[in-house]
Amino acid sequence: MTQAPPEALTNEGQSLTHLPNWRTFFSFSTDHKVIGLQYIVTSFFFFLVAGIFAMIMRGELITPEPDLVDRTVYNALFTMHGSIMLFGWTFPVLAGFANYLVPLMIGARDTAFPRINAIAFWMVPVFGSLLILSFLAPGGPAQSGWWSYPPVSIQNPAGVLLNGEFLWLVAVALSGISSILGAVNIVTTIVRMRCPGMGWFKTPAFVWTVLAAQIIQLFGLPALTAGAVMLLFDLTVGTTFFDASQGGSPVLYQHFFWFYSHPAVYVMILPVFGFFSELFPVYARKPLFGYKVVVVSSMIIVALSGVVWVHHMFASGTPPWMRMLFMFSTMLISVPTGIKVFAWVATLWGGKLRLDTPMLFAMGGLINFVFAGITGIMLASVPVDIHVNNTYFVVGHFHYVIYGAIVFGIYGAVYHWFPKMTGKMYYEGLGKLHFWLTMIGTTLNFLPMHPVGLMGMPRRVASYDPEFAFWNVIASIGGFILGMSTIPFLLNMIASWINGDRAPSNPWRAIGLEWLVPSPPEHENFEELPIVIAEPYGYGKSEPLTENLGG
């Protein structure tokens, strides 16, 4: 047994050969890989909770009458479903992948601020638990939707301070602080800690998309957090920022909320674009087409994301000149997005496709995203948006983005990097069963929302006109299939992690620094920092990626 060299010791005196055991994942660890897995596993717990709420709602909507839960409970369910899906699942799970992968991909031993990183994670179970425990608050949890518009959100029928809306606002504020801390850490890591030779155009596309997403977090989250704090004051101490009866402006809250919450969609979708950019070259055995254009387009999306928020307020008394301006800016963002889609299709074109589970989820996510993009352009148009405002057409579009594209991309990433994270191979048969159940469930669940929305069915209702029943029955069946699809996924992850075959360091023959280290990586990742000498995605090329690690 050889002794670890002095430079290979951490601040805690651990050697590179130290690997975390299961107890480490319940501790205040500062290892970016442990924190990454803590984020991912915790967020999947909240994903299941929010999914159960969604299935109860689909059970309610399978008939026109409110015969499963009453309207008050239904309002609470759709508020908590949306809030937990966004704040407890989507943002944390993507933060988990960023934490785990970015230092490995840029050749760093850890993130820039490990302790801040750990603090940011441990706020996730706190605010997620607050959202769930709000069911025990007097009057039940918040019922004003994940957007929490006043005047509904500043009503306090229970007459007590510690009510559901209060807990919701505290949870959102904590989520914002956690995300800001995480963004400062990740941006600093990417800018300051890339290994020797890794210039900006030798940096992996996923790292670029994470950087773009975290920049949006830094300029957008203060607006949301400020709006939540002002709303909290209105609710608790009697200020009137958003109370129209006292001279306040509810529309002002909408500006605070959407200034962040529309760009927040790009915070979620940009890392998924990164997943697509990493997975397609591997499973098509071709370089990423137009790599430099793809990464630059991510930063163009960041710039344009700051001028789209009024797109959500076309029906809020917005002046016509402002509607036209934001209709144009919202449609403009489809240009850099379309460039990415073109690059992915060109990457797949003529490739030797290997349809393993990660590739299936990536291709399914791309197809769903293209459909969501088409309906998104429709909603950016003022006449269409006003016609379908507050109908199920908007719900269908939103869920095709969030579930059809983002969740599919996350599933693809989980399967692709599972061998690296755990050192075990997943079961391919269960993976493909999971994909097909998810694809069928997604289509049956969310596609019918478009025609029923065009017919005029309003969203956020527990009962509806019987003429909408046919499409709702199909959507509910799809929702139940979608719920069942998580069973083979959970079985696969648990059984593979415990009894799966040992994974080699590079089971996919991929190109990237993370594949040059053992599975799972050792503490501090690299015994010797790599020296990058080539662009990423050199499939079919002869030059190595590094000059000292055999890549």
Side-chain angles (χ1 to χ4, degrees):
M1 182 175 179
T2 58
Q3 185 176 2
E7 63 273 17
L9 300 179
T10 69
N11 292 335
E12 292 79 18
Q14 296 169 305
S15 75
L16 282 171
T17 56
H18 173 76
L19 292 175
N21 58 38
W22 65 272
R23 294 182 182 84
T24 310
F25 294 99
F26 295 91
S27 68
F28 189 84
S29 173
T30 56
D31 185 333
H32 73 96
K33 299 182 293 297
V34 172
I35 295 172
L37 288 174
Q38 286 175 326
Y39 265 114
I40 293 170
V41 173
T42 303
S43 64
F44 265 101
F45 168 76
F46 292 122
F47 176 68
L48 295 176
V49 172
I52 292 171
F53 293 166
M55 293 185 69
I56 296 173
M57 286 189 287
R58 286 316 319 177
E60 171 56 64
L61 294 174
I62 203 167
T63 60
E65 299 80 18
D67 44 15
L68 182 61
V69 295
D70 64 33
R71 289 183 171 84
T72 301
V73 175
Y74 186 86
N75 290 342
L77 287 173
F78 78 67
T79 297
M80 286 299 110
H81 165 74
S83 302
I84 295 175
M85 274 292 186
L86 292 175
F87 302 120
W89 149 251
T90 313
F91 291 121
V93 74
L94 292 171
F97 278 101
N99 267 284
Y100 196 98
L101 293 175
V102 165
L104 286 167
M105 285 183 163
I106 65 173
R109 298 196 190 282
D110 207 323
T111 60
F113 308 113
R115 295 185 186 280
I116 290 178
N117 201 23
I119 292 171
F121 161 72
W122 281 104
M123 296 175 79
V124 174
V126 173
F127 67 69
S129 299
L130 272 182
L131 290 173
I132 295 175
L133 291 174
S134 66
F135 277 91
L136 304 177
Q143 301 174 34
S144 52
W146 72 271
W147 48 90
S148 201
Y149 278 177
V152 176
S153 57
I154 55 178
Q155 296 175 2
N156 186 6
V160 295
L161 175 63
L162 199 63
N163 56 45
E165 186 66 32
F166 176 86
L167 294 176
W168 187 91
L169 287 166
V170 171
V172 170
L174 289 175
S175 171
I177 294 170
S178 168
S179 295
I180 290 172
L181 293 176
V184 169
N185 182 44
I186 292 295
V187 170
T188 306
T189 300
I190 295 173
V191 172
R192 301 287 298 176
M193 298 179 67
R194 283 170 290 126
C195 65
M198 182 172 280
W200 282 114
F201 286 123
K202 290 181 181 175
T203 303
F206 175 73
V207 178
W208 272 92
T209 57
V210 169
L211 177 64
Q214 298 308 312
I215 290 173
I216 294 176
Q217 294 280 64
L218 289 177
F219 78 72
L221 269 171
L224 175 70
T225 306
V229 171
M230 293 165 71
L231 196 62
L232 189 65
F233 287 161
D234 276 10
L235 180 70
T236 57
V237 299
T239 57
T240 58
F241 294 113
F242 309 125
D243 186 351
S245 65
Q246 300 294 322
S249 172
V251 176
L252 175 63
Y253 174 80
Q254 294 186 30
H255 283 287
F256 275 112
F257 183 80
W258 288 116
F259 181 77
Y260 169 73
S261 295
H262 186 96
V265 175
Y266 305 114
V267 173
M268 294 182 279
I269 196 70
L270 277 167
V272 173
F273 289 167
F275 293 150
F276 292 164
S277 298
E278 298 297 329
L279 267 59
F280 288 145
V282 174
Y283 295 93
R285 311 311 300 173
K286 286 180 61 184
L288 177 62
F289 185 89
Y291 156 71
K292 293 182 179 177
V293 178
V294 169
V295 298
V296 171
S297 68
S298 296
M299 306 311 290
I300 295 175
I301 291 175
V302 173
L304 292 175
S305 71
V307 287
V308 294
W309 79 94
V310 177
H311 148 67
H312 291 270
M313 301 167 60
F314 286 161
S316 300
T318 304
W321 68 267
M322 190 178 286
R323 287 177 175 172
M324 293 301 106
L325 176 64
F326 280 87
M327 180 178 73
F328 176 74
S329 62
T330 305
M331 288 185 172
L332 194 61
I333 211 164
S334 65
V335 176
T337 308
I339 289 172
K340 288 178 178 290
V341 173
F342 174 79
W344 296 326
V345 173
T347 302
L348 297 175
W349 190 267
K352 189 176 181 180
L353 303 186
R354 197 171 65 198
L355 298 179
D356 293 333
T357 302
M359 183 62 156
L360 289 175
F361 271 107
M363 293 180 69
L366 176 57
I367 293 169
N368 290 332
F369 175 74
V370 170
F371 180 78
I374 293 171
T375 56
I377 293 174
M378 293 169 66
L379 287 172
S381 169
V382 173
V384 176
D385 183 84
I386 290 178
H387 175 70
V388 300
N389 184 54
N390 273 335
T391 71
Y392 256 87
F393 188 89
V394 180
V395 181
H397 161 75
F398 184 70
H399 280 80
Y400 253 91
V401 174
I402 298 296
Y403 207 104
I406 294 175
V407 174
F408 270 61
I410 291 169
Y411 275 139
V414 168
Y415 284 106
H416 181 66
W417 280 289
F418 182 84
K420 178 57 60 183
M421 293 176 173
T422 65
K424 301 291 183 67
M425 298 299 296
Y426 64 85
Y427 297 114
E428 187 66 37
L430 281 174
K432 289 183 176 175
L433 175 63
H434 174 217
F435 167 76
W436 286 112
L437 285 174
T438 308
M439 193 69 186
I440 293 169
T442 297
T443 304
L444 291 179
N445 193 356
F446 304 128
L447 191 61
M449 294 179 180
H450 296 82
V452 81
L454 290 174
M455 290 166 64
M457 178 175 169
R459 57 177 172 172
R460 311 162 193 160
V461 293
S463 59
Y464 52 84
D465 191 289
E467 70 171 314
F468 306 132
F470 171 74
W471 292 113
N472 275 285
V473 169
I474 295 177
S476 292
I477 293 172
F480 299 145
I481 294 174
L482 209 50
M484 287 189 295
S485 72
T486 58
I487 296 174
F489 170 73
L490 293 174
L491 287 175
N492 203 354
M493 294 297 103
I494 295 172
S496 302
W497 204 333
I498 296 173
N499 290 321
D501 294 336
R502 289 289 306 170
S505 61
N506 190 0
W508 316 123
R509 297 187 296 117
I511 295 175
L513 297 180
E514 77 271 27
W515 301 106
L516 299 180
V517 296
S519 302
E522 296 175 330
H523 196 69
E524 294 203 336
N525 304 335
F526 303 94
E527 288 194 39
E528 178 185 1
L529 290 182
I531 301 174
V532 173
I533 57 174
E535 291 184 1
Y537 316 109
Y539 297 96
K541 299 179 180 179
S542 57
E543 65 265 31
L545 178 62
T546 66
E547 70 174 21
N548 61 334
L549 294 185

